[in-house]
Amino acid sequence: MDKKLRDELVSKNMGYVVTLARQYTCELLTTDDLVSEGSIGMIKAAEKFDASRGKPFVTFAAPYIRHAIEEAIRKVTGEVPVLSTDESLPVGSKNNYTLLNVLEDKDAPKADAAVEQNALSDDMLSAIVTLNEREQTVIKAFFGIDEEHKTMAEIGQAMGLKRERVRQIRDKALRKMHKASSNS
C-alpha cells in the first residue's frame, strides 16, 4: 500500500483509536500514551489492509489497535491479576488467565462494535447516495447495510447476474464512493 493511502486511512480513523484507547485504564499510562500505542497498531493494520477483501478498515484494524494498547499496558504493569472466586486456586499461581479471559464473552459483541458500526453506517450512507440503484443494491447487500451480508454469488443470484459482474459493479461503486468522499 502506498504511503499516501496508508496515511489517509490512519488519519481518517484516529477517532476510532481514541474511542478504543478510552476503554482502557492504566495508572502508569495516560490516555494520550494509549492513543499513541493504538496508532502504531493502526499503522501496522493499514500496511496489511487489502480493501479488495471487502472488510471495512476499522473492522480489520481493531485487533491490531487493541493488541498494541494491551501490549503497552502489559509492558508497563505486567500481567493483569486474576480475581477468582475459586478458593482452590492459590494466590500468585502461574495460571494462564488474565482478567480479560475471565470477563470476556467471546459470543457477545465488542463494546466498540456499536460505535464502529454507527461510524461506518454514517460514512457509507452519505457516499451511497452518489450511486445508481443497481450499485446501491450491490453495496448494501455486500456490506450488510440495512440487511444481512451476502456473498457476491448470492447477490448475483438474486439480481440475475454472474458473480464476476457483481464484483465489477461493486468495484466501480466503491471507486465512485471513494471519489465522492475525497471531494467532500
Side-chain angles (χ1 to χ4, degrees):
M1 172 178 290
D2 75 2
K3 184 178 178 347
K4 183 179 178 188
L5 184 57
R6 183 196 72 195
D7 292 346
E8 186 178 323
L9 272 175
V10 171
S11 66
K12 285 187 175 184
N13 292 288
M14 279 306 295
Y16 183 67
V17 175
V18 172
T19 299
L20 288 181
R22 287 184 178 154
Q23 294 175 359
Y24 293 89
T25 55
C26 177
E27 291 180 12
L28 301 174
L29 294 171
T30 66
T31 301
D32 288 342
D33 293 331
L34 297 176
V35 169
S36 295
E37 293 296 329
S39 298
I40 293 168
M42 185 165 55
I43 291 168
K44 287 179 184 174
E47 290 170 349
K48 296 179 181 187
F49 182 62
D50 181 3
S52 68
R53 294 188 177 230
K55 191 172 192 177
F57 176 68
V58 290
T59 303
F60 178 81
Y64 288 88
I65 298 166
R66 287 182 181 284
H67 176 75
I69 292 170
E70 291 168 4
E71 190 60 32
I73 292 171
R74 269 189 220 102
K75 283 180 182 175
V76 172
T77 64
E79 288 222 81
V80 178
V82 177
L83 301 176
S84 175
T85 56
D86 182 358
E87 296 299 324
S88 65
L89 184 65
V91 174
S93 68
K94 295 284 185 187
N95 62 58
N96 290 330
Y97 293 109
T98 64
L99 184 58
L100 185 61
N101 295 124
V102 174
L103 297 178
E104 184 177 33
D105 178 358
K106 301 285 187 201
D107 297 324
K110 296 283 186 207
D112 59 333
V115 172
E116 175 185 327
Q117 189 58 44
N118 288 342
L120 284 174
S121 294
D122 291 346
D123 290 345
M124 291 285 277
L125 292 175
S126 64
I128 284 177
V129 298
T130 64
L131 305 176
N132 66 39
E133 188 177 333
R134 184 166 68 165
E135 291 167 337
Q136 286 184 19
T137 301
V138 169
I139 291 295
K140 286 181 177 182
F142 186 78
F143 289 104
I145 300 171
D146 299 331
E147 61 183 277
E148 191 68 31
H149 162 74
K150 293 184 180 77
T151 65
M152 286 188 276
E154 292 169 332
I155 297 166
Q157 187 175 15
M159 296 178 71
L161 301 169
K162 300 260 186 222
R163 180 192 176 285
E164 176 61 19
R165 183 64 184 133
V166 172
R167 185 193 63 75
Q168 292 168 354
I169 294 167
R170 181 203 65 190
D171 291 350
K172 181 180 178 187
L174 289 173
R175 285 191 299 273
K176 282 171 100 173
M177 291 170 62
H178 177 72
K179 186 175 180 181
S181 67
S182 297
N183 293 337
S184 58

